[in-house]
Amino acid sequence: GGVIDNAKELYLQGQEAQVSFRSANPRNNQRIEGTFLSVDQLGPNNRWTTRYVDGDWCTKFAWHSEPNQLGKSIAKITWNVPDDEVEGIYRICHYGTRKLPIREAEILMRSVLDKLGFRGSSFILWAFSSSFGYMWNTLSLNSWEYINFSGCSKGFRVEKLLNAN
């Protein structure tokens, strides 16, 4: 959810705002009753209010994985600022879910402990696992941990497009 390419300081009505984020495969959680993005406006009470989500025509969510970099991907969010958008301070946020293979973490940990001379150290591995909420005896080869994340751009201004006449 970290920002890679942030928003500019100012957008005029009718312009296109874009922000790129570190992301994860959207198939990890399709957010059927949620959203991958929001465009929020800062209110007079200094609280953010969501104005648009990924189901709105003025927003676009594009995701791609990084070539030759396993597990790294980027989400690019575009907001076509409507011609009649209210002036104010806005931000663009991204929501996602990353997937971690628990079994692979277990294998790596066992390998590290073996190299350190802790052979047969099931108790140490169980203690390590349970401290993260995993039960040693319930892990399976296809276990995954899903972790939600989010990130937001810096705030930026939206102003009226001045008439050239």
Side-chain angles (χ1 to χ4, degrees):
V3 175
I4 297 171
D5 295 316
N6 219 324
K8 296 187 303 185
E9 296 291 325
L10 171 69
Y11 294 94
L12 300 177
Q13 294 168 331
Q15 289 186 325
E16 186 177 87
Q18 287 187 350
V19 180
S20 296
F21 296 88
R22 295 189 200 297
S23 191
N25 192 321
R27 290 179 295 200
N28 292 343
N29 179 344
Q30 296 180 9
R31 303 193 173 277
I32 302 300
E33 298 197 22
T35 185
F36 289 107
L37 68 93
S38 68
V39 177
D40 304 331
Q41 182 183 27
L42 187 61
N45 58 359
N46 281 333
R47 294 198 179 189
W48 294 101
T49 301
T50 298
R51 300 264 297 150
Y52 303 100
V53 295
D54 56 20
D56 291 299
W57 288 103
C58 61
T59 63
K60 180 180 174 185
F61 174 81
W63 173 86
H64 73 274
S65 60
E66 287 289 318
N68 303 320
Q69 293 187 16
L70 184 64
K72 291 193 175 189
S73 58
I74 295 174
K76 183 165 91 174
I77 297 174
T78 304
W79 176 41
N80 293 309
V81 182
D83 293 337
D84 60 350
E85 188 59 45
V86 176
E87 289 184 298
I89 304 294
Y90 291 80
R91 70 179 182 184
I92 296 174
C93 298
H94 171 47
Y95 308 94
T97 303
R98 63 187 176 124
K99 182 166 78 168
L100 300 175
I102 293 173
R103 182 68 177 161
E104 287 181 22
E106 171 197 336
I107 291 168
L108 176 64
M109 185 65 172
R110 195 177 285 251
S111 171
V112 168
L113 290 173
D114 282 349
K115 288 194 184 318
L116 293 173
F118 293 103
R119 293 201 182 342
S121 53
S122 293
F123 174 75
I124 293 172
L125 194 52
W126 176 84
F128 172 80
S129 298
S130 62
S131 69
F132 288 96
Y134 313 133
M135 287 305 296
W136 174 254
N137 60 358
T138 61
L139 293 174
S140 69
L141 290 173
N142 295 320
S143 293
W144 294 92
E145 178 184 14
Y146 292 87
I147 300 174
N148 291 321
F149 63 84
S150 64
C152 295
S153 71
K154 65 182 180 184
F156 56 88
R157 289 188 331 276
V158 169
E159 294 181 359
K160 286 184 181 180
L161 178 62
L162 298 177
N163 193 344
N165 293 335

